[in-house]
Amino acid sequence: MCGRSTKVSQLLALCFLKSFCLELKGYGPVFEEQPIDTIYPEESSDGKVAMNCRARGIPAPIYKWRLNNWEIDLTKQRYSMVGGNLEINNPEKSRDAGKYVCIASNIHGIVRSREANLNFGYLDLFPPEERSEVKVREGVGAVLLCEPPYHYPDDLSYRWLLNEFPIFIALDKRRFVSQTNGNLYIAKVEASDKGNYSCFVSSPSITKSVFSKFIPLIPQTDRTKGYPADIKVKFKDTYALLWQNVTLECFALGNPVPEIRWAKYLEPMPSTAEISMSGAVFKIFNIQYEDEGTYECEAENHRGKDKHQARVYVQAYPEWVEHINDTERDIGSELYWPCVATGKPIPAIRWFKNGVSLRRNELRIQSLSFDDAGMYQCIAENTYGIIYANAELKILASAPTFEFNPMKKKVLAAKGGRVIIECKPKAAPKPRFSWSKGTELLVNGTRMRIWDDGSLEIMNITKMDEGSYTCFAENNRGKANSTGTLVITDATRITLAPINVDVTVGENATMQCIASHDPTLDLTFIWSLNGYPIDFEKESEHYERGVMVKNNGELLIKNAQLRHAGRYTCTAQSIVDNSSASADLVVRGPPGPPGGIRVEDIRDSSVWITWSRGTDNHSPISKYTIQSKTFLSEEWKDAKTGNVETARVADLVPWMEYEFRIIATNTLGIGEPSIPSQRIRTEGAPPNVAPSDIGGGGGTNRELTITWVPLSREYHYGNNFGYIVAFKPFGEKEWRRVTVTNPDIGRYVHKDESMPPSSEYQVKVKAFNNKGDGPFSITAVIFSAKDAPTERPTEVGVSWQHIFQPSAEGYQIRYWANYEKEVASQRVQVANSEYSTKLENLKPDTQYHIDVCAFNSAGYGPTSAIVSALTKKSPPSQRPRNLSAVRSGEKYIVTWEHVRSLSNESSVEGYKVLYRPDGQHEGKLVMTARRWIEIPIPKNGQYVVEVRAHSEGGDGEVGQIIVPDTIMKGMVLRRLGSEDR
């Protein structure tokens, strides 16, 4: 690398000695692709890994690679190069793991890529030893340890198998799998948790998964009464990168199962926070600096609570504030290249030139030489990453030349004014400058000055300054000159300036402006208001130029508004010089908006408001109007008027959010309103309005339904708003009271099995909040529900009395559903000897209408009165799932998941379990309300166990499991039924 840099310097030095510079065309290497951190699976069958590198440059770059700062011998067969990409054949951890750097170079210089790590990923198998069984009392919490095997990298994900693959545990409020250590936590063990558990570990980096030996979990039936919340999964102090997602875990054991709540200590929660997994997982998406702080999770059940706190720190990857770019500098000049980065912690800065460290954190060169040309890299690094900024420094050396930027042939200047004649030749190093007028050499004086950049300045110009001027430039590589002519013109002058004008809003005003100028030049008038030029096209509604009459720039202001007041400046301008004059326009009108609103001394129905005066717009303020607005309406309402900058506003609604604004008025009109105050909430007070339309009655048997119209939000007057419902049987003295805490509900249903049907009750309702109770409503009289039939037929049995006519040959029964028309009825006929029949294949949970008539060969007789019947709901459609059998001594314990009925199905009342020898139809039938039974070990062959849910609508679908006569420890039983696969 050093040899290449020396060759470049020698080439440039040779250019200098020959008094001309052969320009090095092209540019240095610029990376388009750099190597990235790579994980190679140790068990990979690819046998090859690639580290990519690509750079552009003219001439095309050549590439080298370094491993742990040692140059790689690319002639070895283990390596191959495709462009700049390095391929490693049959990679080995002992030889190939480490930091890789790609180096690209051409005649302009050398650059290093970012460092990229090559690591070897692996995930070992779990140990072959059997896992010990875990016995836990029902109602007590349990933790099953995963203890993952050795692995790299540490980005594992965890799930737990139950009894067989791929049956994974469904997580809920009671069960949680930590993605930090893989352990399974069960807040409260139940009988249904019995089974064999295996920890399933996946590594996404190497796409490999392994699972542990099964852990038998055996719940013990001596159930505990309960215990307080106990947090077992605790998040630690966490360092997160800005804009990344952060996950915190918190889970507690307890009986009952604890509720988990999250909070940020003494601060509001982040807007991007999300809680999942029944409260156990707290995520912050795109974390920001303001999200840093202490976070707390609290677990609670009615037996006690537990808290845990830890801090989240927000760090940041390095990011450029200012960095280097390709630069050309004159030889001998000074270079300071600022390179500033931000991050947390603050990044350290280091430099490379042509791939070699400069061992400094700042780059400053006093006198540049050709040796300083090349490729530079500024590197910013902190704990979390590295960023690179690359740039090429070119050193320029040439004799002065005006070829690319000659002096202007003709320069105009106004008499009495000032002119600058520019002289900007191309030269490196910077030349020395001198000037002449004709043959007279010019020197710095009171009227003339030669600037460092070569420009000539002439002040207080007279006609005598007219003539030819020559600029001379010289450096150590040569000299050159260029000539231009200075022409003097008459100065521009304002001869009739604008004067101050005073108008009222809506009136017109005129600003005059007349100027003299050099007759050979064109004159333009520019008008500005308070320093900003007026756009006559956009502002044509209010601004218009006067009729142009010989150098007249008059301005007409139409329908003047308050915003048009200010200082107007007329500028008469030619291409050589300009002249300006100003005047003020006063516009009188309604006041401006008041400011600085403060709301203080906040009470339940009043506040104290102060504000500051706005502009009176040249007419004294006569009064102020205070307006208020609540979230119930977008309309502003007048609250109070007065002529001082402070007032108390009364008659407000308690516990209501208000905004206030102020409007000022003077003799010229009503001004614009102020910016609204900050939103405030008045203090609370007890309700003073009672609910209306008290009523109710009806419902199902043994119920008393009470209804009322809920009070609107404005009458809540405080927090924790709700209703107190009082009722008593008519004639009794004692009122029974219940509390309804939902402020939006206007209904309460009282259930009492001893309540007589159609009983008369007196009822009344009042509102309450955290400040007290309001008045009771008027008392209303309602009736409890009527008694309802207690039976519903599923199969409808129909019976009737015979008619006493010997001509009757039989009876016809018609029936149709409530949603069908009578003409669509179905019919059943029976013989004359029958007194009843059964109607089958009816739809469940459906109202049917039925009538009966006699018939013979002559036709049908009159129908009976129509009767109605309601069929029962259908049995559960779901079969028992996740059947398992675990041997316990001389018995098997068979368990299954509870069957949940759908809304249109009968509720599960228990289970029917039939176990029989395989191949036989006869067996033993057991009825149970539990979700498990014990059966004896089969003596010969195996048992088929069938389980189905039982309800008033009948029996549900069957689930099956095969139970063998012997079972190996850890063996998972084969289930029947496609739904379990």
Side-chain angles (χ1 to χ4, degrees):
M1 289 187 288
C2 294
R4 178 171 297 279
S5 179
T6 303
K7 290 179 181 179
V8 172
S9 301
Q10 289 174 347
L11 180 58
L12 293 173
L14 181 62
C15 291
F16 179 77
L17 293 173
K18 290 185 177 181
S19 300
F20 67 89
C21 183
L22 174 64
E23 184 180 356
L24 294 176
K25 294 186 177 181
Y27 57 90
V30 178
F31 281 115
E32 294 184 321
E33 185 178 13
Q34 300 186 55
I36 60 174
D37 291 343
T38 301
I39 296 176
Y40 179 79
E42 289 186 358
E43 300 176 10
S44 174
S45 59
D46 293 347
K48 182 180 294 185
V49 65
M51 306 294 282
N52 293 343
C53 181
R54 184 175 75 253
R56 69 177 187 275
I58 299 177
I62 59 175
Y63 301 91
K64 292 183 179 179
W65 281 85
R66 297 178 72 86
L67 169 59
N68 297 327
N69 287 327
W70 290 91
E71 189 167 320
I72 295 176
D73 184 358
L74 298 175
T75 62
K76 292 184 177 180
Q77 291 185 349
R78 298 187 65 250
Y79 303 106
S80 57
M81 289 276 286
V82 180
N85 298 340
L86 173 67
E87 292 186 351
I88 307 170
N89 299 309
N90 299 317
E92 300 176 11
K93 183 177 181 179
S94 59
R95 292 201 289 179
D96 299 313
K99 292 183 178 180
Y100 286 76
V101 174
C102 172
I103 299 171
S105 62
N106 64 12
I107 60 173
H108 295 278
I110 304 168
V111 289
R112 294 166 55 100
S113 74
R114 69 168 69 97
E115 294 177 343
N117 289 296
L118 174 60
N119 290 299
F120 286 72
Y122 62 94
L123 176 59
D124 290 348
L125 297 175
F126 276 92
E129 291 79 18
E130 297 290 337
R131 296 282 188 109
S132 301
E133 66 182 19
V134 177
K135 294 183 178 180
V136 184
R137 284 190 302 159
E138 289 183 22
V140 175
V143 181
L144 301 186
L145 303 182
C146 179
E147 298 176 338
Y150 293 114
H151 58 274
Y152 182 86
D154 194 17
D155 61 347
L156 303 181
S157 65
Y158 301 90
R159 290 187 290 174
W160 281 77
L161 293 166
L162 178 58
N163 293 328
E164 66 176 77
F165 184 88
I167 307 300
F168 291 102
I169 292 176
L171 305 184
D172 50 30
K173 288 179 65 175
R174 198 172 59 83
R175 296 176 292 188
F176 177 69
V177 175
S178 170
Q179 296 304 309
T180 301
N181 56 28
N183 294 343
L184 169 63
Y185 298 83
I186 305 176
K188 182 187 72 170
V189 171
E190 297 179 353
S192 60
D193 293 323
K194 184 170 185 174
N196 297 309
Y197 292 78
S198 171
C199 182
F200 187 84
V201 181
S202 299
S203 173
S205 298
I206 63 173
T207 61
K208 181 180 177 181
S209 300
V210 296
F211 56 89
S212 71
K213 288 286 187 176
F214 281 98
I215 305 172
L217 176 63
I218 304 175
Q220 305 296 296
T221 55
D222 51 336
R223 188 178 185 88
T224 184
K225 293 182 179 179
Y227 64 99
D230 181 16
I231 295 177
K232 291 297 184 183
V233 180
K234 300 179 179 181
F235 56 98
K236 300 178 181 178
D237 285 353
T238 302
Y239 288 83
L241 274 177
L242 188 70
W243 296 108
Q244 286 191 346
N245 301 336
V246 177
T247 300
L248 308 179
E249 294 182 341
C250 182
F251 189 78
L253 310 185
N255 184 2
V257 176
E259 294 288 336
I260 298 176
R261 294 182 291 272
W262 291 85
K264 187 180 182 187
Y265 185 64
L266 298 179
E267 295 183 79
M269 292 278 269
S271 59
T272 59
E274 181 180 287
I275 298 172
S276 59
M277 297 298 294
S278 300
V281 174
F282 178 81
K283 287 187 177 182
I284 307 173
F285 296 91
N286 301 322
I287 195 167
Q288 301 298 302
Y289 285 123
E290 59 267 25
D291 299 331
E292 184 172 282
T294 300
Y295 288 83
E296 174 182 277
C297 87
E298 179 182 80
E300 182 179 14
N301 60 18
H302 72 258
R303 290 185 171 270
K305 66 173 65 175
D306 193 10
K307 285 186 179 180
H308 171 70
Q309 286 184 343
R311 191 162 181 84
V312 173
Y313 299 90
V314 180
Q315 307 289 83
Y317 193 85
E319 185 176 352
W320 289 119
V321 175
E322 187 176 9
H323 62 79
I324 58 177
N325 293 290
D326 290 345
T327 301
E328 295 181 348
R329 290 292 170 87
D330 293 347
I331 190 168
S333 64
E334 180 180 336
L335 172 69
Y336 170 62
W337 250 350
C339 199
V340 182
T342 185
K344 192 177 180 184
I346 297 297
I349 302 293
R350 52 193 174 99
W351 289 83
F352 282 90
K353 178 193 173 185
N354 289 330
V356 178
S357 174
L358 295 180
R359 301 188 182 280
R360 64 177 76 175
N361 55 17
E362 182 182 76
L363 188 63
R364 192 184 296 271
I365 304 174
Q366 297 296 331
S367 180
L368 290 168
S369 67
F370 290 120
D371 286 340
D372 297 314
M375 299 299 299
Y376 287 79
Q377 293 177 284
C378 173
I379 300 171
E381 178 179 13
N382 69 7
T383 311
Y384 299 99
I386 305 176
I387 53 176
Y388 292 73
N390 303 342
E392 181 178 2
L393 174 63
K394 289 186 176 181
I395 306 301
L396 304 179
S398 66
T401 175
F402 286 93
E403 178 182 357
F404 305 105
N405 194 20
M407 283 178 55
K408 290 183 179 180
K409 295 300 181 184
K410 183 178 180 181
V411 178
L412 301 178
K415 194 185 300 181
R418 167 181 173 269
V419 70
I420 295 175
I421 308 175
E422 292 185 340
C423 178
K424 294 184 177 180
K426 181 179 180 183
K430 180 181 177 181
R432 298 176 299 279
F433 295 97
S434 59
W435 282 83
S436 69
K437 180 188 177 188
T439 58
E440 177 190 0
L441 186 64
L442 302 178
V443 295
N444 288 338
T446 56
R447 287 199 319 113
M448 292 189 180
R449 178 188 170 203
I450 301 174
W451 289 7
D452 288 343
D453 67 354
S455 300
L456 175 65
E457 179 183 19
I458 306 173
M459 294 174 286
N460 298 325
I461 294 171
T462 67
K463 197 70 175 176
M464 297 296 293
D465 294 321
E466 203 166 58
S468 296
Y469 289 79
T470 302
C471 174
F472 299 90
E474 181 179 2
N475 67 10
N476 57 8
R477 304 192 49 88
K479 54 186 176 182
N481 61 76
S482 184
T483 301
T485 301
L486 177 62
V487 177
I488 309 302
T489 64
D490 291 336
T492 302
R493 295 283 183 265
I494 298 291
T495 57
L496 183 59
I499 60 174
N500 296 340
V501 181
D502 190 325
V503 297
T504 301
V505 169
E507 295 180 348
N508 295 340
T510 300
M511 291 281 187
Q512 58 192 8
C513 187
I514 298 177
S516 63
H517 69 294
D518 190 295
T520 64
L521 304 176
D522 292 329
L523 187 67
T524 302
F525 286 93
I526 299 173
W527 281 93
S528 62
L529 171 58
N530 298 327
Y532 293 94
I534 296 172
D535 188 330
F536 284 89
E537 288 187 7
K538 291 184 179 179
E539 297 281 348
S540 60
E541 182 181 353
H542 293 286
Y543 292 111
E544 184 180 309
R545 296 183 185 274
V547 178
M548 190 72 172
V549 180
K550 193 178 182 180
N551 305 337
N552 188 346
E554 183 179 82
L555 171 67
L556 175 62
I557 305 166
K558 304 176 293 183
N559 187 21
Q561 301 299 307
L562 292 173
R563 69 177 184 276
H564 298 136
R567 191 164 188 80
Y568 285 80
T569 300
C570 171
T571 301
Q573 178 174 293
S574 71
I575 61 171
V576 177
D577 66 340
N578 62 71
S579 180
S580 299
S582 301
D584 293 323
L585 173 64
V586 175
V587 181
R588 301 182 186 275
I597 301 179
R598 297 199 310 274
V599 183
E600 301 169 325
D601 191 21
I602 301 171
R603 302 184 183 181
D604 60 353
S605 61
S606 67
V607 296
W608 190 266
I609 299 180
T610 60
W611 61 91
S612 58
R613 296 176 65 89
T615 58
D616 62 8
N617 291 325
H618 312 288
S619 180
I621 294 173
S622 58
K623 73 170 183 178
Y624 292 99
T625 301
I626 303 174
Q627 294 185 322
S628 67
K629 184 179 75 169
T630 71
F631 75 93
L632 298 174
S633 172
E634 290 299 315
E635 180 183 354
W636 288 93
K637 299 179 180 179
D638 291 350
K640 189 165 186 176
T641 59
N643 59 0
V644 290
E645 286 86 42
T646 182
R648 176 168 289 281
V649 179
D651 300 325
L652 301 178
V653 176
W655 202 66
M656 179 64 69
E657 288 186 349
Y658 278 95
E659 290 178 278
F660 299 92
R661 70 181 187 183
I662 316 297
I663 299 175
T665 303
N666 63 14
T667 57
L668 297 177
I670 300 174
E672 291 292 319
S674 67
I675 296 174
S677 69
Q678 286 189 336
R679 186 173 294 173
I680 62 96
R681 186 192 292 276
T682 52
E683 290 290 319
N688 63 8
V689 177
S692 61
D693 292 344
I694 311 301
T700 59
N701 59 319
R702 309 298 185 233
E703 288 184 354
L704 177 67
T705 301
I706 305 169
T707 61
W708 63 93
V709 175
L711 293 179
S712 62
R713 165 64 185 83
E714 61 186 304
Y715 296 113
H716 286 192
Y717 287 10
N719 206 354
N720 299 327
F721 182 85
Y723 301 98
I724 295 174
V725 181
F727 57 94
K728 67 184 180 71
F730 197 85
E732 290 190 10
K733 294 182 179 181
E734 294 296 325
W735 290 85
R736 180 167 181 175
R737 298 189 179 195
V738 293
T739 301
V740 177
T741 58
N742 188 332
D744 300 319
I745 285 181
R747 175 185 176 90
Y748 171 72
V749 178
H750 175 67
K751 294 179 180 291
D752 187 350
E753 292 299 325
S754 64
M755 183 188 303
S758 302
S759 298
E760 189 175 6
Y761 277 80
Q762 291 177 293
V763 296
K764 57 185 178 179
V765 183
K766 68 177 177 179
F768 73 91
N769 62 21
N770 60 335
K771 296 293 183 179
D773 296 353
F776 267 116
S777 67
I778 61 172
T779 301
V781 176
I782 63 174
F783 291 87
S784 62
K786 297 178 180 179
D787 217 347
T790 58
E791 295 184 6
R792 292 186 300 173
T794 301
E795 305 172 318
V796 176
V798 184
S799 61
W800 57 92
Q801 291 183 351
H802 276 198
I803 62 172
F804 299 100
Q805 287 186 357
S807 60
E809 298 176 357
Y811 296 92
Q812 175 178 272
I813 302 92
R814 295 191 311 161
Y815 61 97
W816 62 96
N818 192 47
Y819 57 85
E820 296 175 327
K821 293 184 179 180
E822 184 177 343
V823 293
S825 62
Q826 300 186 57
R827 292 168 170 79
V828 175
Q829 292 184 345
V830 298
N832 183 34
S833 59
E834 298 292 336
Y835 289 84
S836 64
T837 189
K838 184 181 292 184
L839 305 180
E840 298 181 337
N841 299 321
L842 304 182
K843 292 185 177 181
D845 198 29
T846 302
Q847 186 86 23
Y848 279 88
H849 305 295
I850 308 165
D851 64 15
V852 183
C853 69
F855 71 90
N856 59 21
S857 57
Y860 294 90
T863 61
S864 68
I866 296 174
V867 296
S868 297
L870 180 65
T871 57
K872 296 178 181 178
K873 291 185 177 181
S874 61
S877 58
Q878 300 296 317
R879 68 186 66 192
R881 295 178 181 272
N882 291 333
L883 273 74
S884 66
V886 177
R887 182 169 180 173
S888 177
E890 297 300 311
K891 297 179 179 179
Y892 276 106
I893 299 175
V894 180
T895 62
W896 57 89
E897 283 187 1
H898 178 58
V899 175
R900 300 187 184 277
S901 301
L902 303 179
S903 61
N904 62 343
E905 297 174 349
S906 302
S907 299
V908 175
E909 296 176 347
Y911 298 89
K912 291 182 178 179
V913 184
L914 173 70
Y915 61 94
R916 55 181 173 81
D918 194 7
Q920 298 183 22
H921 298 292
E922 298 291 329
K924 184 173 182 179
L925 180 65
V926 178
M927 295 284 292
T928 179
R930 298 178 297 188
R931 283 175 283 166
W932 60 275
I933 65 164
E934 293 181 349
I935 65 172
I937 295 176
K939 294 182 179 179
N940 296 305
Q942 57 190 10
Y943 277 155
V944 175
V945 181
E946 299 177 351
V947 184
R948 68 180 75 210
H950 173 68
S951 71
E952 70 170 359
D955 296 338
E957 293 290 321
V958 67
Q960 290 184 336
I961 187 171
I962 299 294
V963 178
D965 55 354
T966 59
I967 184 168
M968 296 176 61
K969 188 175 182 182
M971 175 180 175
V972 180
L973 300 180
R974 176 174 61 92
R975 296 197 194 120
L976 299 182
S978 60
E979 79 284 358
D980 291 324
R981 294 177 183 170

